[in-house]
Amino acid sequence: MIISNFIDGTFTPPIEGRMMDDTNPANGELIAKIPRASISDVDAAVLAANQALPKWAALTMLQRADWLDKIADALEEIKEEIAQIESLDTGKPISLARSVDATRSISNFRFFAKFARGQEPLTFEMSDATNFVHTSPLGIVGLITPWNLPLYLLTWKVAPALLMGNCIIAKPSEITPLSADLLAKTMQRINLPEGVFNLVHGLGPEVGQAILENPHISGISFTGGTSTGRIVARTAAPLFKKLSLELGGKNATIILDDADLDTVVPGAVRAAFTNSGQVCLCGSRILIHHSKYDEFCKRFVEQVDAMIVGDPSDESTQMGPVISMEHLQKIESYIDLAIEEGGEILSGGSRAMTGQVGPNPAGAFIRPTVIGGLEHLSRTSTEEIFGPVVTLHSFSTDDEAIEMANCTEYGLAGSIWTEDAERGKELAKRVESGIVWVNTWLHRDLRTPFGGVKNSGVGREGGRWSLSFFSEMTNVCVKH
Ligand code: NDP
């Protein structure tokens, strides 16, 4: 398969002709040749977006909401293809690609279309005047996204950006470009006006950087690692671009003394290992009240040992490979570090597939790994590994649990498990984090604010926060 950039409604090869490989993490085989685009391609995309902007911005929000529904309808027709291609490109189990990636990518468009139809004009009455809040598009926006949930995270930005009248330059991760290509094909199939959605494939420091530096791009919505986020902020802030940063996490799963382990154990397994632990919201530190520690440990390890790691295309597979061999090596270096730091491997810890039919040895497979015995301030327990590795820690009081939960540079998400929902809710307010679930995980209402505190990000996405990010507001004050 050879894929191209999508600029001005047309699939075009990169101007400088450079291409690179996209491989399947489950077997190391080449899947596609993709453009390694350059600044010239970004310039061409910006020119196209600039030409398309006036007409797109002149539509009403309701007309653009109809476009979002059209996109959703068209994606619905290729839902299985989306799941298959996402599973191939990322190595995630096909069942997960269906239930999360394909389903939620479509629902992002549906949600924002419906949300737009519920918006009321914003006015503020004074005794002698009325204020009318007028929204206009930011203009051209750059959307830069990671490899873990490629289409889901891209559409989460594309839908509100289009709705608010912006034209888009998108750059997916070069590791997982295929579903973005499918989205571009969908835009072409439904005749979305040329230049409204442009896709430029390539490397972060080349294409990503060119997007950040382009003076005609007014806003950047970035999801990725915290260290890349620093580069994004450093480049875009002096140009006064509007910036949304959704960054890394090291999220705590807190299990209180009154928690029901029948519910908690499967919940904690899911929070730790969904998508091979490669979800920014994954609970990679489990903090357990000392009275429950031994029993939790035993039952958690039993369930992790039983997880089926294997071929992503197999319907029974629960965990596929991690995204690449390089990433696998990074994860293994953290397991080595954990041992150096005094940790004990309670499950997994190696590539060996003991007791199971092993997946392809050329794939980036590792067993889900559980580590006990580490200090909560150790590097393994505080740095983002972004893989199927979880550390277990015991605490004695709620205060200690909160102190441990808040001890990292991150503050993205977390969960609290208790039979007393009110207690959980009160404790949740003390977790330094953008999202806290009580007795659940990854339970998402798209109207709610999504984002992190501390080094996990700046700004919020979701519902009205996304609409606000992708627009400018003018307050018009009319004297009676
Ligand atoms: P990276 O930060 O490496 O990359 C994210 C995107 O930024 C990619 O498209 C990448 O391109 C691009 N990029 C890299 N360098 C630059 C640059 N100098 N200028 C502009 N763009 C650049 O993250 P990963 O793809 O490795 O994703 C994993 C990270 O994402 C984890 O830390 C995870 O926690 C975080 N994440 C956060 C989420 C949130 O909502 N808070 C959700 C999902 C993931 P390329 O791939 O070509 O390098």
Side-chain angles (χ1 to χ4, degrees):
M1 188 187 328
I2 295 180
I3 68 171
S4 300
N5 294 324
F6 183 66
I7 296 173
D8 206 13
T10 307
F11 286 94
T12 40
I15 291 168
E16 291 179 8
R18 293 181 304 172
M19 301 293 281
M20 53 189 179
D21 294 347
D22 176 27
T23 55
N24 179 345
N27 56 24
E29 287 171 11
L30 183 72
I31 317 173
K33 286 278 186 191
I34 71 158
R36 181 176 163 184
S38 62
I39 189 168
S40 317
D41 300 285
V42 173
D43 288 346
V46 169
L47 189 67
N50 216 9
Q51 280 164 359
L53 189 60
K55 271 196 179 163
W56 183 250
L59 297 180
T60 64
M61 201 206 272
L62 294 184
Q63 286 171 318
R64 292 190 296 258
D66 290 342
W67 274 106
L68 297 197
D69 271 334
K70 261 190 220 174
I71 298 169
D73 291 343
L75 290 176
E76 196 87 56
E77 287 168 19
I78 55 163
K79 194 170 170 185
E80 181 58 21
E81 192 183 347
I82 296 172
Q84 293 289 346
I85 213 144
E86 208 68 301
S87 171
L88 185 75
D89 217 7
T90 61
K92 67 183 64 190
I94 183 64
S95 55
L96 183 69
R98 279 196 195 105
S99 62
V100 173
D101 299 74
T103 304
R104 293 195 183 190
S105 298
I106 297 165
S107 61
N108 282 340
F109 287 104
R110 291 254 187 261
F111 164 76
F112 277 107
K114 186 168 170 216
F115 193 69
R117 294 185 184 111
Q119 295 298 301
E120 297 287 341
L122 205 50
T123 57
F124 298 93
E125 289 293 345
M126 301 167 76
S127 59
D128 58 350
T130 305
N131 294 278
F132 300 90
V133 180
H134 171 72
T135 54
S136 46
L138 271 184
I140 304 175
V141 293
L143 311 182
I144 302 178
T145 46
W147 46 257
N148 62 332
L149 295 155
L151 191 63
Y152 177 30
L153 292 176
L154 179 61
T155 53
W156 178 235
K157 298 178 191 298
V158 168
L162 289 182
L163 182 66
M164 299 315 284
N166 303 281
C167 289
I168 291 171
I169 316 293
K171 192 210 94 64
S173 168
E174 99 277 359
I175 304 172
T176 54
L178 298 186
S179 55
D181 178 61
L182 208 51
L183 180 65
K185 286 177 176 143
T186 305
M187 301 296 198
Q188 192 185 48
R189 184 153 54 90
I190 61 166
N191 296 318
L192 186 80
E194 290 163 3
V196 170
F197 175 80
N198 303 278
L199 180 64
V200 186
H201 295 281
L203 297 176
E206 296 175 0
V207 169
Q209 195 70 24
I211 291 174
L212 298 180
E213 290 173 1
N214 190 293
H216 302 289
I217 296 179
S218 323
I220 302 286
S221 180
F222 171 85
T223 299
T226 294
S227 56
T228 318
R230 271 199 191 94
I231 300 173
V232 173
R234 198 185 304 137
T235 313
L239 300 171
F240 301 111
K241 290 178 195 257
K242 210 169 172 186
L243 205 50
S244 166
L245 297 172
E246 299 291 342
L247 309 176
K250 184 79 176 181
N251 312 300
T253 301
I254 305 173
I255 300 166
L256 300 185
D257 51 357
D258 64 348
D260 168 20
L261 290 189
D262 289 341
T263 321
V264 173
V265 174
V269 170
R270 184 171 158 259
F273 299 116
T274 295
N275 203 31
S276 301
Q278 303 167 128
V279 179
C280 53
L281 307 167
C282 272
S284 51
R285 297 180 293 149
I286 308 187
L287 316 180
I288 310 134
H289 189 265
H290 67 85
S291 64
K292 298 260 168 172
Y293 187 87
D294 290 343
E295 180 63 13
F296 174 84
C297 235
K298 181 171 152 286
R299 288 165 68 171
F300 186 74
V301 166
E302 269 167 20
Q303 291 201 14
V304 175
D305 283 345
M307 281 182 75
I308 303 170
V309 180
D311 181 353
S313 65
D314 189 324
E315 299 287 343
S316 64
T317 292
Q318 292 170 301
M319 204 179 96
V322 296
I323 193 65
S324 65
M325 278 297 180
E326 294 71 36
H327 194 50
L328 176 61
Q329 282 156 12
K330 177 190 153 190
I331 293 165
E332 287 174 329
S333 75
Y334 269 105
I335 294 171
D336 292 343
L337 175 68
I339 293 165
E340 264 172 50
E341 290 184 314
E344 183 191 356
I345 307 295
L346 304 174
S347 179
S350 70
R351 297 186 194 187
M353 297 293 136
T354 325
Q356 289 185 15
V357 178
N360 191 320
F365 290 93
I366 183 163
R367 285 290 311 165
T369 298
V370 183
I371 305 172
L374 284 170
E375 287 294 323
H376 71 281
L377 290 173
S378 64
R379 280 186 54 204
T380 314
S381 313
T382 53
E383 295 178 12
E384 187 186 45
I385 301 173
F386 212 56
V389 178
V390 71
T391 59
L392 308 186
H393 310 270
S394 139
F395 66 85
S396 300
T397 62
D398 287 4
D399 286 347
E400 196 188 354
I402 292 297
E403 189 269 320
M404 289 165 84
N406 292 342
C407 78
T408 76
E409 64 172 299
Y410 298 108
L412 186 56
S415 63
I416 297 176
W417 300 78
T418 168
E419 286 293 272
D420 181 347
E422 197 53 37
R423 179 182 173 203
K425 194 173 127 201
E426 286 309 306
L427 211 55
K429 295 177 190 166
R430 297 173 58 198
V431 180
E432 293 166 357
S433 175
I435 306 150
V436 183
W437 285 286
V438 177
N439 294 329
T440 183
W441 178 77
L442 204 61
H443 204 77
R444 294 271 294 120
D445 179 331
L446 303 185
R447 293 169 301 177
T448 60
F450 179 93
V453 304
K454 301 200 286 191
N455 292 358
S456 287
V458 179
R460 292 290 181 274
E461 296 182 333
R464 63 188 165 97
W465 292 273
S466 291
L467 302 200
S468 165
F469 176 76
F470 285 111
S471 58
E472 289 291 7
M473 279 174 254
T474 306
N475 186 55
V476 180
C477 178
V478 180
K479 179 96 168 65
H480 293 166

